[in-house]
Amino acid sequence: MTDKEALQIHINIGMLVGSVNRAMTKRFVQNAHKMGLDISLDQWMVLGPIWRFEGVSQKDIAEFCMKDKTSVTRIINTLEKKNLVVRVPDQIDHRINRIVLTHQGKQLFQNVLPVIEKTREEVRKGISDEEIETLKKVLTKITQNLEKDNG
Amino acid sequence: MTDKEALQIHINIGMLVGSVNRAMTKRFVQNAHKMGLDISLDQWMVLGPIWRFEGVSQKDIAEFCMKDKTSVTRIINTLEKKNLVVRVPDQIDHRINRIVLTHQGKQLFQNVLPVIEKTREEVRKGISDEEIETLKKVLTKITQNLEKDNG
DNA sequence: AAATATTAGTTGCATCTACAACTATTTTGT
DNA sequence: ACAAAATAGTTGTAGATGCAACTAATATTT
């Protein structure tokens, strides 16, 4: 394989993944904005586990969202500024923050669900269930490949 | 479909794509660093078209890389600070910058090629060519779906 | 030729990210 | 019990991103 071919192949996947990531993020925010909702996809992703597991720790949020703990810290800062969540220190283990949705947070969450659905439909248009399954499978495999030690 | 299922399905794809994007970026930088090279994947992606098309404009770089023009502006700022590229104003159309690799830039580019190859191998381990093809096909389709007007 | 529109690129602002270094707290090992 | 290690979270720094508003230059329209 020539150098240029290596470049081509690598960049194709890297560029595609990056491009799709940016495009999905963008479309979600645009759709939310059209419904009068002010929230980013990353903020939404952090809200998800808080909705499902009231009082979840930041560490667990990071795990569910596959994000860095520093990212979670800062996104929760933003969510707290927006009065969507509150940090409640754990009574037993004082290292842990229990993150809880406010009333406002719960309402926003519900309001965003149709935006999620709309975005999902736009993303998946013309793509078969089987293709989506392969997509998920391959992406999961790549994630696993890269989780391994740098060897 | 229940709300929670909608959440699940959407987040799965969004999270996976984001996660893979971050992981690939990270692994590339780590691999480069191990070889004593200081460059990010995004900087590399911008170098690609400059290598292939000497004197390419920022607008065309943005197109090749599927990036926003503002991102390209700022990445080229960084590359210029690192003395890897220079901006040469077009003699005829004074709006356009012609981006050219410096000697240092050319050398770095060559040195990074093995890093690209190594990262590519790590990413693709245990994934068949057919799966990669499907991945590319589906990601391209999603890109196209989201390029359309917000309707 | 003058007014208008388009294009290439930059800048300010807000968000998201990784890494390293840090604090505070809890757990483990001896 | 006490020292060492692990854990949860925060902060500083630097890079990347989108959007809107902007400048400067070219192309189009009338």
Side-chain angles (χ1 to χ4, degrees):
Chain A
M1 176 183 307
T2 69
D3 289 349
K4 292 200 183 180
E5 279 166 354
L7 167 66
Q8 252 325 98
I9 286 169
H10 182 82
I11 283 203
N12 277 348
I13 295 181
M15 285 199 330
L16 273 173
V17 170
S19 170
V20 166
N21 190 30
R22 290 191 293 272
M24 283 182 53
T25 300
K26 193 166 150 180
R27 176 60 62 94
F28 171 79
V29 171
Q30 285 169 349
N31 284 344
H33 192 252
K34 268 189 272 178
M35 307 275 282
L37 303 169
D38 171 34
I39 187 167
S40 74
L41 184 54
D42 291 301
Q43 289 166 21
W44 166 264
M45 283 177 179
V46 167
L47 284 185
I50 307 175
W51 172 269
R52 281 191 282 168
F53 310 105
E54 173 143 322
V56 69
S57 71
Q58 295 185 202
K59 185 209 162 200
D60 288 342
I61 293 173
E63 207 169 294
F64 287 128
C65 298
M66 300 189 263
K67 283 180 183 299
D68 194 83
K69 60 179 178 170
T70 50
S71 297
V72 172
T73 291
R74 276 154 176 145
I75 292 174
I76 290 181
N77 288 348
T78 306
L79 295 175
E80 228 177 15
K81 262 184 228 147
K82 289 178 164 188
N83 294 315
L84 299 174
V85 304
V86 284
R87 285 176 164 100
V88 181
D90 188 287
Q91 286 305 307
I92 293 165
D93 189 334
H94 293 214
R95 291 171 302 185
I96 299 175
N97 288 331
R98 301 273 160 216
I99 313 299
V100 180
L101 286 172
T102 62
H103 177 67
Q104 219 173 317
K106 284 177 189 163
Q107 271 202 325
L108 178 66
F109 190 90
Q110 294 281 4
N111 292 339
V112 171
L113 285 172
V115 177
I116 289 289
E117 186 54 29
K118 180 165 190 271
T119 308
R120 195 180 80 89
E121 278 166 17
E122 289 169 355
V123 164
R124 292 188 49 160
K125 192 159 285 174
I127 302 175
S128 70
D129 288 353
E130 197 195 335
E131 285 171 324
I132 291 288
E133 280 317 303
T134 305
L135 173 68
K136 284 188 196 172
K137 195 179 98 190
V138 176
L139 290 178
T140 303
K141 193 120 193 186
I142 292 177
T143 301
Q144 286 163 358
N145 282 349
L146 296 182
E147 265 168 5
K148 288 176 204 156
D149 283 353
N150 312 324
Chain B
M1 176 183 305
T2 69
D3 288 351
K4 292 199 181 177
E5 279 166 355
L7 167 65
Q8 252 327 97
I9 286 168
H10 181 83
I11 282 202
N12 276 348
I13 296 179
M15 285 198 331
L16 273 172
V17 170
S19 170
V20 166
N21 190 31
R22 289 190 294 273
M24 283 182 53
T25 301
K26 194 167 151 180
R27 177 59 63 95
F28 171 80
V29 171
Q30 286 170 346
N31 284 344
H33 192 251
K34 268 188 273 179
M35 307 275 282
L37 303 169
D38 171 34
I39 186 167
S40 74
L41 185 55
D42 291 301
Q43 289 166 22
W44 165 264
M45 282 177 180
V46 167
L47 284 185
I50 306 174
W51 172 269
R52 280 190 283 167
F53 310 105
E54 173 144 320
V56 68
S57 70
Q58 295 185 200
K59 184 207 162 200
D60 289 341
I61 292 172
E63 207 169 295
F64 287 127
C65 298
M66 300 190 263
K67 282 179 185 297
D68 194 83
K69 60 179 178 169
T70 51
S71 297
V72 172
T73 291
R74 276 153 177 148
I75 292 174
I76 290 181
N77 288 348
T78 306
L79 295 175
E80 227 178 15
K81 263 183 229 149
K82 290 178 162 186
N83 294 315
L84 299 174
V85 304
V86 284
R87 286 176 163 99
V88 182
D90 188 287
Q91 286 305 307
I92 293 166
D93 188 335
H94 293 210
R95 294 170 301 185
I96 298 175
N97 288 332
R98 301 273 160 216
I99 313 299
V100 180
L101 285 173
T102 62
H103 176 66
Q104 220 173 318
K106 283 177 189 162
Q107 271 201 327
L108 178 65
F109 190 90
Q110 295 281 4
N111 292 339
V112 171
L113 285 172
V115 177
I116 289 290
E117 186 53 29
K118 180 166 190 270
T119 307
R120 194 180 81 89
E121 277 167 18
E122 288 170 356
V123 164
R124 291 189 49 159
K125 193 159 286 173
I127 302 175
S128 69
D129 289 354
E130 196 195 337
E131 285 171 324
I132 291 287
E133 279 317 304
T134 305
L135 174 69
K136 283 189 197 171
K137 196 180 95 188
V138 176
L139 290 178
T140 304
K141 193 119 194 189
I142 292 177
T143 301
Q144 285 163 357
N145 283 347
L146 296 182
E147 264 169 6
K148 289 176 201 157
D149 283 354
N150 311 324

